[in-house]
Amino acid sequence: MKYFDEYRDKRLCQSIIERMKELTTEDINIMEVCGTHTMSIFRSGIKDLLPENIHLISGPGCPVCVTPISDINHMIALARMDRAIIATFGDMINVPGSSSSLKREKADGADVRVIYSPLQALEIAREFPQRQIILVGIGFETTIPLLASIVLEAKKKAITNFYLLSLTKLMPPIIRALLQSQEVKIDGMLCPGHVSTIIGAKPYQFIPDCYHIACVIAGFEPIDILIAIYHLILQKIKGIPQVENKYRRAVREEGNLIALNLITQVFSTVDSEWRGIGIVADSGLDLKSEYSDLNARNFLVKVETTKENNQCRCGDVLRGVATPLQCPLFQKLCTPEHPVGACMVSSEGVCAAYYKYSSV
Amino acid sequence: MCLAIPGKIIKKINCEEAEVLLGNIKKSVRIDLLPEIEEGDYVLIHAGYAITKINSREANEINQIWEEIQS
């Protein structure tokens, strides 16, 4: 497809990597905070092609992975309601809760349906007016406007059997929390291109301003990622951190104002729990009170107590503190067929990426 | 999860919906978030919604990268 295929040119990839080698021999740590970046980096082999002093660290960029077990237990409890239909994106059904998963509930008779678009949840609601349709609303800023649009449509069309369980997460607050924690030395932040199509470039300004860390918004083709890494290194060695947009064909400085307005119309910020990280202030969204009749949190259900496998290092992996190779369960007890932690379940999870693409 | 794929708008059906070409496949997508798009525009599509228009003025982004790297 035009505007994308030309960003896969092998010669240009090699040239950018050669130029990187000329820049510095200093160790530089770059974090990507988008699961789609993680997969693109692994799929294209970028991690192995970079100079040895450039280290890529994966952060909490996979929405399925960052959803805590307490929320998995909540969706399982909702799935057990008599007339409920759970509509969810695919990976979520495999994530283990304390003692079950949506997939296991489905096998036991619960009505759990995998959807590609949140629009399908409304279609199911129209088709089954006697049932309660609960959309599991996970995602970052890329997906949140879609959920807002669905909520408004349900209101407008007076669809009264549609509910949203909002588990949405916001990118800038979690980046701030990671940088504040100083657990990992980060020299550059590879900012998520598709989240940025919605929020624009400004929300990242605190990264260079407050933390003096380089920041580049990147697309998802190999050249998009390599040129972004090249500029992160340049910013670092020049000592002039700033927010650079290297995905200008898709990201405008101001983002998508219509999408941003939809978000603020429907949602308000709340403190939100992230797997392995804990509760981060104002890092999630829930429905505003005027939409409370659509809020699936209002169903009174018995949610199981959180139980985690204490050997699983998903939390450390999500914070960039450990790689999957440092987890005792990786490739042994935890595989894509039998995942223990969410990072192995999701197709965008770091453990799944290591399992699929790493030669170790 | 934040995966978005490029497509070309081939027909604007109404204010909410358009037909796009994804490779060789025609598909209907929502355009609520991009009401200004027109036929012939390229967009990125995420979970059934067009989320951003590809800015054709920035189409030479790749040429700039070639120039920068070869300079």
Side-chain angles (χ1 to χ4, degrees), chain B residues 3-63:
Chain B
L3 191 68
I5 52 171
K8 185 180 183 182
I9 302 285
I10 49 174
K11 190 179 173 190
K12 215 169 160 176
I13 298 165
N14 54 40
C15 301
E16 292 177 344
E17 227 176 328
E19 200 169 67
V20 290
L21 198 59
L22 300 163
N24 295 321
I25 300 163
K26 279 184 193 171
K27 206 166 170 19
S28 162
V29 295
R30 290 287 291 252
I31 54 169
D32 312 36
L33 307 178
L34 293 175
E36 81 285 6
I37 57 156
E38 290 167 13
E39 287 170 17
D41 285 343
Y42 284 80
V43 292
L44 282 177
I45 298 149
H46 170 64
Y49 280 73
I51 56 166
T52 193
K53 179 182 157 182
I54 301 299
N55 189 345
S56 55
R57 280 177 305 176
E58 300 288 357
N60 63 349
E61 217 174 7
I62 189 70
N63 298 328

Side-chain angles (χ1 to χ4, degrees), chain A residues 96 309 311-314 324 327-345 351-352 355:
Chain A
N309 183 321
Q311 284 190 297
C312 172
R313 296 198 67 186
C314 252
C327 175
L329 305 178
F330 180 71
Q331 280 184 326
K332 297 182 182 92
L333 282 175
C334 185
T335 63
E337 291 76 27
H338 299 286
V340 176
C343 302
M344 184 60 93
V345 174
C351 297
Y355 189 92

Side-chain angles (χ1 to χ4, degrees), chain A residues 1-4 6-7 9 12 15-16 19 36 63 89 116-117 119 138 142-143 146 149-150 153 156 194 197 227 230-231 246-250 252 256 258 262 348, chain B residues 1-4 6-8 16 21 23 27 30 32-35 42 44-49 51-56 58-59 61-62 64-66 68-71:
Chain A
M1 176 68 74
K2 193 176 164 186
Y3 302 126
F4 291 87
E6 58 268 43
Y7 289 82
D9 187 284
L12 184 51
S15 301
I16 298 171
R19 292 295 303 271
T36 312
F89 295 116
Y116 150 74
S117 168
L119 287 164
I138 60 161
T142 320
T143 313
L146 283 53
S149 153
I150 293 294
E153 190 152 325
K156 189 173 143 192
H194 292 149
T197 64
I227 199 68
Y230 177 76
H231 278 268
K246 291 291 170 192
Y247 195 27
R248 291 197 314 274
R249 64 191 188 284
R252 281 140 199 82
N256 182 328
I258 291 172
L262 274 181
E348 292 191 341
Chain B
M1 181 72 203
C2 288
L3 191 68
K8 185 180 183 182
E16 292 177 344
L21 198 59
K27 206 166 170 19
R30 290 287 291 252
D32 312 36
L33 307 178
L34 293 175
Y42 284 80
L44 282 177
I45 298 149
H46 170 64
Y49 280 73
I51 56 166
T52 193
K53 179 182 157 182
I54 301 299
N55 189 345
S56 55
E58 300 288 357
E61 217 174 7
I62 189 70
Q64 289 170 8
I65 296 172
W66 273 105
E68 180 183 5
I69 292 303
Q70 290 183 330
S71 65

Side-chain angles (χ1 to χ4, degrees), chain A residues 83-88 111-135 159 161-162:
Chain A
R83 290 184 298 128
I85 297 176
I86 302 288
T88 178
D111 198 339
V112 179
R113 303 186 186 198
V114 171
I115 53 166
Y116 150 74
S117 168
L119 287 164
Q120 291 168 273
L122 273 193
E123 287 164 18
I124 298 169
R126 280 195 203 101
E127 197 179 335
F128 298 96
Q130 304 306 319
R131 309 281 297 274
Q132 291 155 330
I133 314 312
I134 300 166
L135 172 62
I159 300 171
N161 62 329
F162 168 83

Side-chain angles (χ1 to χ4, degrees), chain A residues 102-353:
Chain A
L102 285 177
K103 193 178 184 178
R104 191 177 295 175
E105 294 301 317
K106 187 176 167 71
D108 288 345
D111 198 339
V112 179
R113 303 186 186 198
V114 171
I115 53 166
Y116 150 74
S117 168
L119 287 164
Q120 291 168 273
L122 273 193
E123 287 164 18
I124 298 169
R126 280 195 203 101
E127 197 179 335
F128 298 96
Q130 304 306 319
R131 309 281 297 274
Q132 291 155 330
I133 314 312
I134 300 166
L135 172 62
V136 175
I138 60 161
F140 292 113
E141 289 90 335
T142 320
T143 313
I144 297 169
L146 283 53
L147 300 175
S149 153
I150 293 294
V151 165
L152 291 175
E153 190 152 325
K155 273 280 191 194
K156 189 173 143 192
K157 296 190 173 162
I159 300 171
T160 54
N161 62 329
F162 168 83
Y163 303 88
L164 176 72
L165 180 67
S166 177
L167 305 172
T168 50
K169 302 267 190 265
L170 300 173
M171 195 46 84
I174 193 63
I175 295 177
R176 190 186 287 274
L178 281 176
L179 297 179
Q180 262 170 356
S181 77
Q182 296 185 322
E183 272 193 302
V184 186
K185 179 183 171 287
I186 299 169
D187 301 299
M189 194 63 80
L190 193 74
C191 291
H194 292 149
V195 162
S196 307
T197 64
I198 305 298
I199 69 174
K202 269 192 194 153
Y204 304 113
Q205 195 57 47
F206 72 92
I207 301 173
D209 288 356
C210 306
Y211 299 95
H212 214 63
I213 286 174
C215 192
V216 175
I217 296 168
F220 297 89
E221 299 300 331
I223 289 169
D224 285 317
I225 294 171
L226 286 171
I227 199 68
I229 294 172
Y230 177 76
H231 278 268
L232 285 168
I233 302 168
L234 269 182
Q235 285 191 34
K236 166 70 179 163
I237 59 175
K238 285 181 180 169
I240 314 170
Q242 56 183 304
V243 180
E244 274 186 278
N245 179 5
K246 291 291 170 192
Y247 195 27
R248 291 197 314 274
R249 64 191 188 284
V251 174
R252 281 140 199 82
E253 288 300 300
E254 70 283 7
N256 182 328
L257 297 177
I258 291 172
L260 289 170
N261 282 336
L262 274 181
I263 295 174
T264 49
Q265 192 181 338
V266 172
F267 293 104
S268 48
T269 54
V270 289
D271 298 348
S272 183
E273 186 187 350
W274 297 62
R275 184 186 289 258
I277 297 170
I279 292 171
V280 178
D282 294 331
S283 66
L285 293 174
D286 202 359
L287 289 168
K288 283 187 166 174
S289 56
E290 53 262 49
Y291 303 101
S292 63
D293 51 332
L294 278 71
N295 197 334
R297 288 185 190 280
N298 293 332
F299 288 112
L300 295 174
V301 285
K302 193 168 185 295
V303 179
E304 223 178 320
T305 321
T306 299
K307 267 185 263 164
E308 296 193 52
N309 183 321
N310 56 16
Q311 284 190 297
C312 172
R313 296 198 67 186
C314 252
D316 293 338
V317 170
L318 289 168
R319 299 197 310 280
V321 176
T323 72
L325 304 177
Q326 294 167 283
C327 175
L329 305 178
F330 180 71
Q331 280 184 326
K332 297 182 182 92
L333 282 175
C334 185
T335 63
E337 291 76 27
H338 299 286
V340 176
C343 302
M344 184 60 93
V345 174
S346 173
S347 57
E348 292 191 341
V350 182
C351 297

